[in-house]
Amino acid sequence: MLSHHKIIELLAQYRPVLAGTFPLDIAVPGSDLDVLCYWQEAGHFKQHVTNSFSGFENFTLREVTINNQHTIITNFFADGLEVEVFGQNIPVKQQMAYRHMIIEYKILSKKGDNFRQQVIALKQSGLKTEPAFAQLLGIEGNPYTALLEFNV
């Protein structure tokens, strides 16, 4: 689907990286494809994603502040699957979502398939990814920040 619609190619200048549940093999029905991008000029990025994806079903674009960072989030559906393009003026490998994914990958690699299945079960029950990991690992506090400090 990504290659059919050339989503990654259309975002190439923003160094896109597929992140989240799909590359970790913990996607459940309703999971979206997360594409992280690094922009240097917000207006140009907004115009580019609007020009590239506004023709897709349920296209939305919003600007929010996440961890004191100006963030541009675009959502749309392609072939029945939701795509979220998440852009910040931070290199992708420094963005929290990427850092979460790397830590979660290490945990999944270490803990094995039974742990993966437990994460999937919690996600199917309605938990988001980071809270599911935190619950299984006994991590206290805010799962989004605490997971970044978890020693794998």
Side-chain angles (χ1 to χ4, degrees), residues 5-151:
H5 292 290
K6 300 187 185 324
I7 293 169
I8 297 297
E9 290 86 347
L10 288 167
L11 294 167
Q13 65 185 302
Y14 302 105
R15 302 179 196 117
V17 173
L18 181 63
T21 60
F22 282 92
L24 291 173
D25 195 26
I26 56 172
V28 298
S31 291
D32 61 357
L33 283 171
D34 297 307
V35 181
L36 307 179
C37 293
Y38 168 45
W39 51 260
Q40 294 178 312
E41 206 292 304
H44 184 266
F45 181 70
K46 286 184 344 187
Q47 188 63 50
H48 184 83
V49 294
T50 299
N51 290 345
S52 299
F53 306 117
S54 63
F56 284 88
E57 179 184 352
N58 293 342
F59 173 85
T60 61
L61 184 146
R62 67 189 196 281
E63 294 182 71
V64 296
T65 300
I66 298 176
N67 297 317
N68 298 316
Q69 292 295 324
H70 182 197
T71 305
I72 299 167
I73 303 171
T74 302
N75 294 84
F76 57 90
F77 283 81
D79 297 335
L81 186 62
E82 186 172 8
V83 177
E84 179 173 281
V85 177
F86 181 98
Q88 291 182 320
N89 186 18
I90 301 173
V92 168
K93 290 183 177 182
Q94 295 173 24
Q95 292 180 20
M96 283 185 70
Y98 181 86
R99 293 171 54 211
H100 284 151
M101 180 180 69
I102 297 304
I103 291 167
E104 291 159 358
Y105 172 78
K106 290 176 182 177
I107 293 167
L108 288 168
S109 296
K110 191 173 190 177
K111 297 275 188 184
D113 195 57
N114 185 48
F115 186 86
R116 176 186 311 278
Q117 294 307 319
Q118 291 176 3
V119 170
I120 290 170
L122 287 174
K123 288 177 60 58
Q124 288 172 331
S125 75
L127 277 183
K128 294 285 189 182
T129 303
E130 286 74 13
F133 272 83
Q135 181 176 322
L136 289 170
L137 296 168
I139 296 174
E140 300 284 325
N142 180 329
Y144 296 92
T145 54
L147 193 61
L148 293 175
E149 298 167 9
F150 186 75
N151 190 8

